[in-house]
Amino acid sequence: MAPLAVGQTRWKAMRGLGLACAAGLILLVPGLAHGAEATMSGAQLVQLVGAGETVEMDGVTIVGEVDLRPLEATARIFRCTRCTFEGAIEASNLTFERVVDLSGSRLEGGANFEGAVFRDAFLMRSIGERAATVVEPAVFTLAAFEDRANFDGSQFDSEADFRVTQFVGDASFAGATVAGDARFDSATFEARAQFAGSSIGGDADFTTATFADKSDFRRVAIAGDATFSGAGFEAVDFTQSRFGGVLSFEEASIEGTCSFRAASFEGDVLFGGVALRGPTDFQAASARGEIDFTDTSATDRFDLRGLSTTHPIWLDRVTAPALEMDLDRLENITSVAVQIRVLAMIEAGARERGDIDLANDAAFRRSQLQTDRKAGVDRLVGQAGETVGGYLVQPLVPARAMALLVVIGTLVRAGTRLVPAVSRRRFAWDLAPTPVVVEGEAGPMMGAANDTAADSLNAGDPAAKPAASPTATHNALLAVGKTAATVARAFADTLRAAVRLRPQDIPERRRDDLSAYGAALLAGAEWFAYKLLFALFLIGLANSNPTFKQLVEAVT
């Protein structure tokens, strides 16, 4: 071997030994990493990695840029926890065969992992109260995480760019903070995606991103616009999340459950053309802008109960087998035709769930809206169906009508007896005053003969005393008593007419009295009205009470 070659070989060996000793000194003497604040240049760190050495450091300050791009690949563990990188980390298109751990570290110059491949775990999480911090932009565009990627509690003081990034293993950004924009355009999450409790100070862009497993966005706070247009989800949870700008889910698809329960939206909510194949929940959510569900298709429960907004809700061409929505929120739907379709969906879903009360309320409101759109005779028929029949779903409506009819019948009958002029005309054969019977020695006597007999008895009785003249109080009490008795008798006659099985026949003595036929016509109309209202009441009761409906069907 030539002397020069021998010298070069010895130099390489000594350099490798020196780097190994330096690394070993850092690893074996914790005091350097903590008490003495150990430092290393970025070039030295690159040389360690290039020599195939395992990097295991904690609390070290790396001075200068760490440019790993010339290496193309590293086969050893790269762990530098709670370190401070004063320069940038350049590792684009580099392949990391083993674990990369930057937990609790501070990257003041940013990080560029564009196109990098991580075959093992990548960790940039917080350690205790020390968060992993990237001061300048963090770029992971086109990167591939073939194992788990953990950014829990990390802090990005600028932008975080994960466009077209592939997460094969679990990806967790729980509690992470991004001061600027967070970009995940066309990113792929093949396993679970965890963003719970994260905060984004700018816009969040997940356009056409793919979530093949469950994704957790609970309690996420996004100050800017949030875009998930064209994204595909297996299942997603945005419970109690806050959106400061516009939320766009247009043309997205969700295979499983989707929850926006108790979420708050400061801007518009654009959900047009979304395909919802699992239960969707917007319960108790609130919005300060418009909510657009135009052309949304749901194949499972679509729950909008408690969704509050002072702006319009667009539900044009929405299809859902089980739409749930507060009926008083219909006023936010500007189109009457859409309101009718929404009520039909609410009714169908409620009947499917067995919620008869909601189904009947929706049917009643829908019939009201349909009646309002009619004119002429059809409108009059519809209004009669509402005020008299309750559209066959509200039994209390015909019950109230029956009660009103009883009151009217009682007043009419009482009036014919209290008003002398009407009473003398004998308005109806069944309203004739009941004869007063007085028991005497000769037996019961009726009518005018009763008065004559009483006078004769008093005249022939020497012990009889002259009647005292009545006082005003006596007359008033007597008038009240007579009126009360008359009204009570009229009420009883009205109830008897209501429960009568068939119309009352005209008495034989009045067959030649034309007024009797007029009275019979009125009495027949009254009888028919009671029977009709009672039938409507039974139908409404059957439609509002499943047990009663089953009983009626069993009998009929």
Side-chain angles (χ1 to χ4, degrees):
M1 182 181 294
L4 181 58
V6 173
Q8 290 178 345
T9 302
R10 289 178 178 176
W11 167 249
K12 290 181 180 179
M14 292 176 62
R15 185 182 64 177
L17 180 61
L19 292 173
C21 291
L25 183 63
I26 293 174
L27 294 173
L28 298 175
V29 185
L32 284 176
H34 297 286
E37 295 184 358
T39 62
M40 175 184 287
S41 69
Q44 288 177 312
L45 181 57
V46 172
Q47 287 178 350
L48 278 175
V49 177
E53 299 292 339
T54 297
V55 176
E56 292 273 4
M57 298 187 295
D58 181 83
V60 178
T61 298
I62 311 300
V63 181
E65 183 181 70
V66 179
D67 190 356
L68 300 172
R69 288 175 294 180
L71 303 181
E72 295 185 358
T74 173
R76 299 291 184 178
I77 294 174
F78 186 93
R79 179 175 286 112
C80 193
T81 56
R82 290 183 292 194
C83 295
T84 299
F85 292 82
E86 295 184 352
I89 295 180
E90 293 288 344
S92 58
N93 301 312
L94 186 64
T95 299
F96 296 87
E97 300 289 346
R98 298 296 302 277
V99 174
V100 176
D101 190 355
L102 298 173
S103 299
S105 295
R106 179 179 177 84
L107 284 61
E108 296 182 352
N112 182 10
F113 289 94
E114 181 179 0
V117 177
F118 303 93
R119 301 198 186 281
D120 207 332
F122 180 89
L123 309 176
M124 189 183 284
R125 62 190 181 206
S126 61
I127 297 180
E129 296 183 356
R130 183 180 173 93
T133 304
V134 185
V135 178
E136 297 297 325
V139 179
F140 289 86
T141 307
L142 294 169
F145 297 88
E146 298 183 357
D147 205 306
R148 63 191 178 102
N150 193 320
F151 293 85
D152 289 351
S154 59
Q155 181 175 323
F156 298 89
D157 291 346
S158 185
E159 298 179 355
D161 190 348
F162 289 86
R163 288 176 296 168
V164 204
T165 299
Q166 183 180 17
F167 297 90
V168 179
D170 291 343
S172 183
F173 291 81
T177 301
V178 182
D181 296 339
R183 305 191 62 181
F184 289 84
D185 315 25
S186 301
T188 302
F189 298 84
E190 298 184 13
R192 290 179 178 268
Q194 176 68 261
F195 287 85
S198 61
S199 175
I200 299 174
D203 296 338
D205 195 345
F206 288 83
T207 303
T208 65
T210 301
F211 297 84
D213 205 329
K214 294 180 179 179
S215 50
D216 188 352
F217 285 84
R218 290 175 298 170
R219 300 182 303 280
V220 167
I222 301 175
D225 295 340
T227 305
F228 293 85
S229 299
F233 294 87
E234 172 60 29
V236 62
D237 190 351
F238 284 93
T239 299
Q240 295 183 341
S241 292
R242 302 190 307 275
F243 301 90
V246 175
L247 172 63
S248 177
F249 254 81
E250 294 178 312
E251 305 299 331
S253 63
I254 304 173
E255 297 294 330
T257 59
C258 172
S259 176
F260 283 89
R261 183 187 291 262
S264 61
F265 311 96
E266 296 296 324
D268 294 340
V269 179
L270 307 179
F271 237 75
V274 178
L276 303 171
R277 298 181 178 88
T280 303
D281 186 359
F282 276 82
Q283 286 191 63
S286 61
R288 294 181 179 270
E290 295 186 1
I291 303 176
D292 189 356
F293 291 105
T294 301
D295 293 319
T296 292
S297 173
T299 58
D300 206 317
R301 182 173 57 88
F302 191 19
D303 195 346
L304 303 180
R305 290 176 298 171
L307 175 61
S308 63
T309 180
T310 57
H311 290 75
I313 299 177
W314 302 96
L315 291 167
D316 302 53
R317 298 181 299 280
V318 169
T319 57
L323 176 63
E324 299 179 55
M325 183 178 181
D326 297 330
L327 298 185
D328 57 1
R329 194 54 58 196
L330 290 173
E331 61 188 18
N332 295 97
I333 302 175
T334 56
S335 170
V336 176
V338 176
Q339 289 182 16
I340 293 174
R341 290 187 65 253
V342 168
L343 286 167
M345 288 186 286
I346 293 175
E347 178 186 357
R351 294 199 188 281
E352 182 70 21
R353 297 189 309 274
D355 190 348
I356 302 300
D357 291 339
L358 177 60
N360 288 343
D361 289 342
F364 189 82
R365 292 285 295 273
R366 176 174 55 82
S367 299
Q368 281 183 318
L369 294 176
Q370 290 173 334
T371 297
D372 292 340
R373 302 183 75 187
K374 296 177 181 178
V377 177
D378 291 338
R379 184 182 179 89
L380 291 176
V381 172
Q383 289 175 339
E386 175 187 348
T387 57
V388 177
Y391 294 122
L392 304 181
V393 293
Q394 298 287 353
L396 290 181
V397 174
R400 287 197 298 264
M402 278 194 293
L404 179 61
L405 189 58
V406 168
V407 171
I408 294 175
T410 300
L411 294 178
V412 170
R413 285 178 170 85
T416 61
R417 297 168 183 176
L418 293 174
V419 179
V422 178
S423 181
R424 285 195 300 269
R425 294 181 64 87
R426 314 291 289 181
F427 178 71
W429 68 90
D430 64 333
L431 300 181
T434 302
V436 179
V437 180
V438 177
E439 296 290 341
E441 293 181 357
M445 292 172 286
M446 303 174 60
N450 184 19
D451 296 336
T452 305
D455 293 340
S456 299
L457 289 175
N458 291 334
D461 186 2
K465 297 181 180 180
S469 59
T471 63
T473 303
H474 176 272
N475 291 336
L477 292 176
L478 183 61
V480 170
K482 288 182 178 179
T483 302
T486 302
V487 171
R489 190 165 62 251
F491 178 71
D493 292 340
T494 303
L495 291 182
R496 186 169 61 252
V499 300
R500 187 176 288 129
L501 295 180
R502 62 186 181 85
Q504 185 179 5
D505 294 331
I506 300 177
E508 207 49 57
R509 67 180 184 278
R510 301 191 62 192
R511 294 292 175 88
D512 297 331
D513 188 354
L514 184 61
S515 64
Y517 290 92
L521 181 62
L522 293 177
E526 180 190 32
W527 174 86
F528 178 77
Y530 279 122
K531 298 304 176 284
L532 176 62
L533 290 174
F534 187 68
L536 294 175
F537 170 75
L538 290 180
I539 295 174
L541 188 62
N543 288 331
S544 61
N545 190 312
T547 303
F548 186 80
K549 184 175 183 179
Q550 293 175 358
L551 180 62
V552 172
E553 292 175 350
V555 173
T556 57

